[in-house]
């Protein structure tokens, strides 16, 4: 399908996917920015908020597991737009907590709806991203994920401004939900229909059955790519959840300095992803992944050593640069074969998000016993394993023959 598009149509498609990647990041940062106000409205303890937020994880996992079947039957565009609409509805439900909720049950359900929409949209937009790569004959997924990071940054800044302006939770979250829906409606026309949809005409083979889609979880290459993504996503997720606190407790600095360190991490990761396409086209997936793993390993070792805050800041930058490539490169590799692309991208996405959702709480339990800096050794081990298995991302099929997708 993508081969029949003009260069202008491909460019419009590409820009639309950049916007679609940014929208979930914007929505997620909007929710995170108002968690303190929602907690105060509910009168919830930290433990109770933990269970309420668990609704987000539940919805996300259900969405990730459902996405490949939805994409195979309805196509990526339909699932992306549905996901953005559903996540906006979930954000709207959560917004109501600022008006009339007296307990966390509806917030839990709203977050589950929000997470489900994000989950199916995430897989669909990555499937769409691999299709744009094939059409444009360029490595683009790292850039798309940079757009997600940029959307997160915009959402965080907008959240801070909304709080400073005294906007209520209901107004802020409702406005954000409307923005997401309007942007989705605008870019809809630039996205071709049917990407990822299983049809016999796409490959000359019959479309995958539901059993075959589930069987991709047993494929050796998919399993290895999933482990690579799991290890590198754990490195990213652990920083998102624990880096500020690890810096504050480990180096005895102020919370502001901890936030500054986290800002360095996000900036380094965003810059790495923005430059990732050119690096991948020049050096190939395996070399870039091995270099990024070495960067993350060096950064983690510096941070764990606890020598000084200045040294730790350098380590955080290396850690952020190293964490930039694993997830998008793994998803790109999972999408090499057009037949079953939704199932494989869904499986790898699930591995990555499982690491991001489940790994950090485990790190917190271990860190409670031995300290967060020492607990980061678990993250270090995951990155080492990911680096050792990076050869699994070598292109296969048509991409292996294409000089624009080096091994």
């Amino acid at each position: 399908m993508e081969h029949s598009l003009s260069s202008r149509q491909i460019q419009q498609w590409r820009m639309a996917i950049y916007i679609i990647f940014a929208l979930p990041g914007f929505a997620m940062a909007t929710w995170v920015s108002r968690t303190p106000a929602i907690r105060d409205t509910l009168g919830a303890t930290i433990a109770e908020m933990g269970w309420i937020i668990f609704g987000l994880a539940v919805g996300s996992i259900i969405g990730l597991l459902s996405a490949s079947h939805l994409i195979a039957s309805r196509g990526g565009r339909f699932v992306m737009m549905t996901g953005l609409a559903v996540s906006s509805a979930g954000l709207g439900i959560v917004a109501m907590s600022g008006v009339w909720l007296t307990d966390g049950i509806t917030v839990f359900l709203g977050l589950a709806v929000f997470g489900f929409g994000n989950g199916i949209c995430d897989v669909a937009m990555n499937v769409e991203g691999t299709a744009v790569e094939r059409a444009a004959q360029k490595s683009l997924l790292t850039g798309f994920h940079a757009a997600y990071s940029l959307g997160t940054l915009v959402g965080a800044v907008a959240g801070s401004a909304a709080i400073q302006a005294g906007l209520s939770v209901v107004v802020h979250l409702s406005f954000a939900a409307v923005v997401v829906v309007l942007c989705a409606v605008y870019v809809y026309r630039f996205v071709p229909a049917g990407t990822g949809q299983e049809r016999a005409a796409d490959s000359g083979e019959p479309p995958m059955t539901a059993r075959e889609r589930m069987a991709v979880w047993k494929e050796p290459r998919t399993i290895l790519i999933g482990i690579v993504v799991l290890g590198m996503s754990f490195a990213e997720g652990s920083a998102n959840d624990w880096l500020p606190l690890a810096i504050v407790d480990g180096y005895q600095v102020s919370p502001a300095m901890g936030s500054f360190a986290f800002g360095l991490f996000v900036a380094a990761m965003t810059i790495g992803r923005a430059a990732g396409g050119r690096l991948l086209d020049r050096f190939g997936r395996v070399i870039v992944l091995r270099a990024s793993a070495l960067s993350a390993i060096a950064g983690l070792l510096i941070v764990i050593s606890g020598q000084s805050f200045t040294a730790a800041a350098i380590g955080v930058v290396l850690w952020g640069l190293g964490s930039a490539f694993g997830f998008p490169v793994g998803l790109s590799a999972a999408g090499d074969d057009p037949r079953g692309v939704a199932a494989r991208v869904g499986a790898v996405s699930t591995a990555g998000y499982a690491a991001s959702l489940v790994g950090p709480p485990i790190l917190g339990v271990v860190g409670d016993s031995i300290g967060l800096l020492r607990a980061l050794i678990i993250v270090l081990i995951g990155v080492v394993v990911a680096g050792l298995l990076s050869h699994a991302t070598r292109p296969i099929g048509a991409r292996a023959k294409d000089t624009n997708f080096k091994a």
Side-chain angles (χ1 to χ4, degrees):
M1 176 270 297
E2 56 259 25
H3 298 295
S4 63
L5 298 176
S6 67
S7 59
R8 176 178 172 78
Q9 288 173 317
I10 292 173
Q11 182 65 20
Q12 290 174 330
W13 185 15
R14 176 178 172 180
M15 294 307 299
I17 301 306
Y18 277 122
I19 293 172
I20 289 172
F21 263 81
L23 292 177
F26 172 77
M28 183 64 71
T30 299
W31 143 250
V32 171
S33 70
R34 302 313 297 255
T35 50
I38 292 172
R39 180 196 62 185
D40 293 344
T41 299
L42 298 173
T45 66
I46 293 176
E48 288 169 343
M49 277 300 291
W51 282 109
I52 291 170
I53 294 172
F54 185 63
L56 181 62
V58 171
S60 297
I61 294 298
I62 294 173
L64 290 168
L65 294 174
S66 306
S68 64
H69 304 291
L70 293 172
I71 296 167
S73 62
R74 301 302 299 271
R77 184 176 71 175
F78 174 86
V79 176
M80 282 191 302
M81 299 306 161
T82 300
L84 290 172
V86 170
S87 64
S88 296
L91 203 59
I93 294 171
V94 174
M96 293 301 104
S97 65
V99 179
W100 53 268
L101 294 184
T102 56
D103 60 65
I105 295 176
T106 306
V107 179
F108 177 95
L109 294 175
L111 286 175
V113 172
F114 179 61
F116 177 80
N118 270 354
I120 62 173
C121 181
D122 183 88
V123 177
M125 69 189 188
N126 279 294
V127 169
E128 204 78 28
T130 62
V132 179
E133 282 191 329
R134 285 194 299 270
Q137 295 298 298
K138 294 179 181 179
S139 297
L140 299 172
L141 264 182
T142 53
F144 291 143
H145 282 260
Y148 179 92
S149 298
L150 183 60
T152 303
L153 179 61
V154 171
V157 171
S160 178
I163 294 169
Q164 291 295 324
L167 283 182
S168 67
V169 170
V170 65
V171 171
H172 180 199
L173 268 61
S174 298
F175 178 77
V178 170
V179 168
V180 170
V181 170
L182 290 178
C183 289
V185 169
Y186 175 75
V187 301
Y188 174 86
R189 55 185 165 165
F190 301 119
V191 181
T195 303
Q197 196 169 359
E198 292 287 346
R199 294 173 296 203
D202 290 338
S203 61
E205 300 180 57
M208 275 187 162
T209 64
R211 179 176 294 181
E212 286 177 314
R213 287 195 292 272
M214 293 304 296
V216 303
W217 290 78
K218 301 178 182 178
E219 295 173 351
R221 181 175 184 265
T222 303
I223 292 172
L224 292 178
I225 293 173
I227 295 172
V228 171
V229 169
L230 190 150
M232 299 307 288
S233 295
F234 189 19
E236 179 182 347
S238 60
N240 288 338
D241 282 5
W242 293 113
L243 180 56
L245 191 56
I247 293 295
V248 169
D249 290 356
Y251 291 87
Q252 303 301 309
V253 296
S254 67
M257 296 300 283
S259 296
F260 174 75
F262 179 63
L264 287 177
F265 178 88
V266 173
M269 192 170 66
T270 303
I271 291 170
R273 285 178 171 172
R278 292 184 179 181
L279 293 174
L280 287 163
D281 284 337
R282 181 169 183 178
F283 299 107
R285 293 172 183 162
V286 177
I287 291 176
V288 169
L289 276 182
R290 286 174 178 169
S292 66
L294 287 174
S295 176
I297 289 167
L300 282 162
L301 286 172
I302 293 171
V303 172
I304 292 169
S305 68
Q307 296 300 312
S308 68
F309 177 78
T310 302
I314 296 172
V316 165
V317 170
L318 292 173
W319 180 0
L321 287 172
S323 300
F325 298 97
F327 199 9
V329 172
L331 294 174
S332 180
D336 279 351
D337 186 354
R339 186 173 188 265
V341 60
R344 293 186 183 89
V345 171
V348 172
S349 293
T350 301
Y353 279 99
S356 295
L357 293 169
V358 179
I362 294 174
L363 201 64
V365 173
V366 176
D368 196 43
S369 301
I370 64 174
L372 280 173
L373 287 184
R374 290 184 180 179
L376 291 175
I377 293 173
I378 302 173
V379 181
L380 180 64
I381 293 171
V383 174
V384 170
V385 172
L388 291 174
L389 297 179
S390 58
H391 63 275
T393 64
R394 286 192 178 96
I396 62 171
R399 285 195 175 185
K401 301 174 185 177
D402 195 322
T403 55
N404 286 314
F405 290 98
K406 298 181 180 180

